[in-house]
């Protein structure tokens, strides 16, 4: 599975890089991504998660990452461990409010695009000798109010992510590792909302970072992302440098079960 997926993502990246070479303009941005994950298990194989996300961006000409909104969302997930290495996930509901990358300060007044999203995702992990390899495949169905007129236009998007992870013990604790990871994710979209536009290769995200357990059932992840996103013209691109922080509160309710009173 790894070799086929690896070949696929390299092919997509090659096509994406070819399209970049023809770009007329590339706009650069600074972005902050924040995500709070609330999670708990339903049984030994089934788990629910809620992603609460907020993203901000710099205003052109300014260096701060918090000058203007870029994205906010609430996203519900159910994850099923089919085998030890294979996880199937379904998102029955996601609500998003997305703002364009700013080209000039006046763009900050443009309202966000409301979106509803449904997703099916398959993730396969292989534990190799030196590191772990994950291949993640997602199919999204999106309905977006692109014209801000309460008419939600549909389209589909395919996402593929390749991730390498290396747990390292002894940095902070001999029992809990610090996990270092790097990955790449490509996005391909199709459907009614984008049928007449050339930006089929929607975006590419390269990431690198680390995660660690700060205390029991609580994890923090810190990453750098380079986001290359194609604009609707198909010729102009946004190149964003993002700081991504994730706080995960697992066993949200289960951690209190059976706890003795103080």
């Amino acid at each position: 599975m790894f070799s086929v997926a690896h070949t696929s993502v390299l092919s997509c990246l090659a096509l994406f890089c070819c399209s970049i070479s023809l770009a007329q303009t590339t706009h650069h941005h600074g972005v902050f991504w924040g995500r709070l994950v609330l999670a708990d298990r339903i049984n030994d194989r089934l788990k629910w998660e809620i992603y609460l996300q907020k993203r901000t961006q710099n205003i052109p000409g300014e260096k701060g990452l918090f000058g203007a909104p870029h994205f906010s969302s609430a996203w519900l997930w159910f994850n099923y461990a089919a085998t030890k290495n294979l996880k199937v996930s379904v998102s029955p509901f996601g609500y998003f409010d997305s703002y364009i990358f700013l080209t000039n300060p006046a763009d900050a007044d443009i309202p966000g695009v409301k979106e509803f999203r449904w997703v099916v995702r398959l993730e396969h992990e292989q534990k190799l000798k030196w590191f772990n390899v994950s291949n993640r495949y997602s199919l999204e169905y999106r309905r977006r109010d692109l014209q801000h007129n309460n008419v939600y236009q549909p389209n589909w998007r395919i996402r593929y992510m390749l991730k390498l992870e290396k747990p390292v013990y002894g940095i902070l604790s001999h029992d809990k590792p610090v996990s270092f990871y790097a990955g790449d994710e490509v996005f391909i979209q199709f459907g009614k909302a984008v049928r007449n536009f050339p930006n089929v290769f929607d975006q590419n995200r390269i990431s690198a970072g680390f995660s660690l357990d700060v205390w029991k059932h609580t994890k923090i992840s810190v990453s750098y992302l380079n986001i290359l996103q194609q604009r609707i013209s198909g010729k102009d691109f946004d190149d964003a440098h993002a700081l991504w922080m994730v706080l995960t509160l697992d066993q949200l309710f289960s951690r209190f079960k059976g706890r003795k009173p103080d």
Side-chain angles (χ1 to χ4, degrees), residues 12 28 38 69-70 80 90 130 134 141 229-231 260:
C12 290
H28 299 278
L38 308 176
H70 183 233
Y80 178 74
V90 175
W130 299 108
S134 295
Y141 177 68
Q229 183 167 318
Q230 192 175 32
R231 293 197 175 189
K260 295 182 179 180

Side-chain angles (χ1 to χ4, degrees), residues 164-210:
L164 307 179
E165 185 171 4
K166 174 65 175 179
V168 179
Y169 291 86
I171 297 178
L172 299 176
S173 168
H174 293 289
D175 301 321
K176 297 179 179 179
V178 176
S179 292
F180 297 91
Y181 52 84
D184 187 62
E185 186 173 21
V186 292
F187 298 66
I188 302 172
Q189 59 180 351
F190 58 95
K192 181 179 178 180
V194 296
R195 183 173 297 159
N196 297 318
F197 302 118
N199 60 331
V200 174
F201 288 91
D202 184 29
Q203 58 181 291
N204 185 79
R205 296 177 184 171
I206 298 173
S207 62
F210 66 91

Side-chain angles (χ1 to χ4, degrees), residues 242-257:
L243 172 64
W244 188 15
M245 302 185 69
V246 181
L247 176 63
T248 301
L249 303 179
D250 205 354
Q251 304 285 340
L252 187 64
F253 300 111
S254 299
R255 67 173 73 187
F256 302 110
K257 292 181 180 179

Side-chain angles (χ1 to χ4, degrees), residues 76-204:
L76 174 63
W77 285 92
F78 292 99
N79 305 316
Y80 178 74
T83 68
K84 184 179 179 180
N85 300 322
L86 183 65
K87 182 172 68 176
V88 180
S89 302
V90 175
S91 174
F93 178 80
Y95 173 77
F96 301 79
D97 189 10
S98 303
Y99 295 78
I100 63 170
F101 280 117
L102 305 181
T103 302
N104 56 70
D107 291 343
D109 297 327
I110 299 175
V113 172
K114 305 296 189 296
E115 175 186 345
F116 296 97
R117 189 183 301 180
W118 297 263
V119 188
V120 176
R121 188 167 71 191
L122 181 69
E123 186 170 359
H124 181 263
E125 182 180 20
Q126 296 172 281
K127 296 184 182 297
L128 304 180
K129 182 177 181 180
W130 299 108
F131 50 81
N132 303 330
V133 180
S134 295
N135 292 281
R136 193 175 76 183
Y137 311 84
S138 303
L139 177 63
E140 300 177 335
Y141 177 68
R142 313 168 70 193
R143 298 189 69 92
R144 292 177 291 167
D145 183 14
L146 296 172
Q147 304 300 324
H148 308 102
N149 58 359
N150 289 320
V151 176
Y152 287 79
Q153 301 181 45
N155 77 281
W156 299 83
R157 187 165 66 178
I158 296 172
R159 299 168 61 161
Y160 169 74
M161 186 178 74
L162 173 67
K163 182 179 179 181
L164 307 179
E165 185 171 4
K166 174 65 175 179
V168 179
Y169 291 86
I171 297 178
L172 299 176
S173 168
H174 293 289
D175 301 321
K176 297 179 179 179
V178 176
S179 292
F180 297 91
Y181 52 84
D184 187 62
E185 186 173 21
V186 292
F187 298 66
I188 302 172
Q189 59 180 351
F190 58 95
K192 181 179 178 180
V194 296
R195 183 173 297 159
N196 297 318
F197 302 118
N199 60 331
V200 174
F201 288 91
D202 184 29
Q203 58 181 291
N204 185 79

Side-chain angles (χ1 to χ4, degrees), residues 176 212-220 247-250 255-256:
K176 297 179 179 179
L212 67 148
D213 293 331
V214 290
W215 59 83
K216 191 175 183 179
H217 306 309
T218 302
K219 178 184 290 187
I220 187 169
L247 176 63
T248 301
L249 303 179
D250 205 354
R255 67 173 73 187
F256 302 110

